Amino acid sequence: MAATRLRPLWLALGWAMVAGIVWLSLTPAPPKLEFALSDKVGHLVGYGALMFWFCQLYPARSARAGYALAFAIMGVGLEFAQDALGYRTLEKWDMVANVLGVGLGWVAARAAGPTVLSWIEGWLSPRA
């Protein structure tokens, strides 16, 4: 991985995204956007951004596959958890959006290449 100087920060931000998705999935009253299919777009973008981020942290195909599987399982599992809590409901299309988001995040990361975080590090560094 090229972005090593700030790797602890990148990891912390990635796991903060995971925590944020869990919180948004399980809170009784998540914030809402008011446009058609905003819920599904939120799922797609959230899981896509999460997968993209971890693809930047772990460029090896096997690591990416492991994270993709874990995030897809998380997306499905959180829907079942919502149903079990009783104040939210399981939505199959949310599951689909979560899994599609994971796939799109992986594809976007492949298209962007493994240097996005390195570029950010360079941009954040003081210029000599």
Side-chain angles (χ1 to χ4, degrees):
M1 152 138 177
T4 57
R5 189 171 55 86
L6 297 177
R7 186 171 177 78
L9 173 63
W10 303 141
L11 285 167
L13 289 173
W15 289 109
M17 282 192 265
V18 171
I21 287 174
V22 170
W23 180 81
L24 287 167
S25 297
L26 300 180
T27 188
K32 296 192 184 303
L33 299 172
E34 299 300 325
F35 62 88
L37 299 175
S38 62
D39 176 51
K40 304 308 174 254
V41 171
H43 284 267
L44 192 71
V45 169
Y47 280 84
L50 184 64
M51 187 63 201
F52 180 88
W53 193 262
F54 276 85
C55 283
Q56 290 300 309
L57 290 167
Y58 299 99
R61 185 180 202 91
S62 60
R64 289 178 173 192
Y67 277 101
L69 180 61
F71 293 148
I73 290 170
M74 180 178 90
V76 171
L78 284 171
E79 287 298 318
F80 281 103
Q82 287 177 354
D83 196 50
L85 290 171
Y87 52 79
R88 301 275 300 266
T89 58
L90 179 149
E91 293 187 35
K92 292 176 184 158
W93 288 111
D94 286 353
M95 289 182 196
V96 170
N98 296 342
V99 173
L100 283 175
V102 169
L104 289 175
W106 190 337
V107 169
R110 283 193 58 163
T115 61
V116 172
L117 296 179
S118 295
W119 179 84
I120 294 170
E121 281 188 15
W123 183 77
L124 292 174
S125 298
R127 307 263 187 253

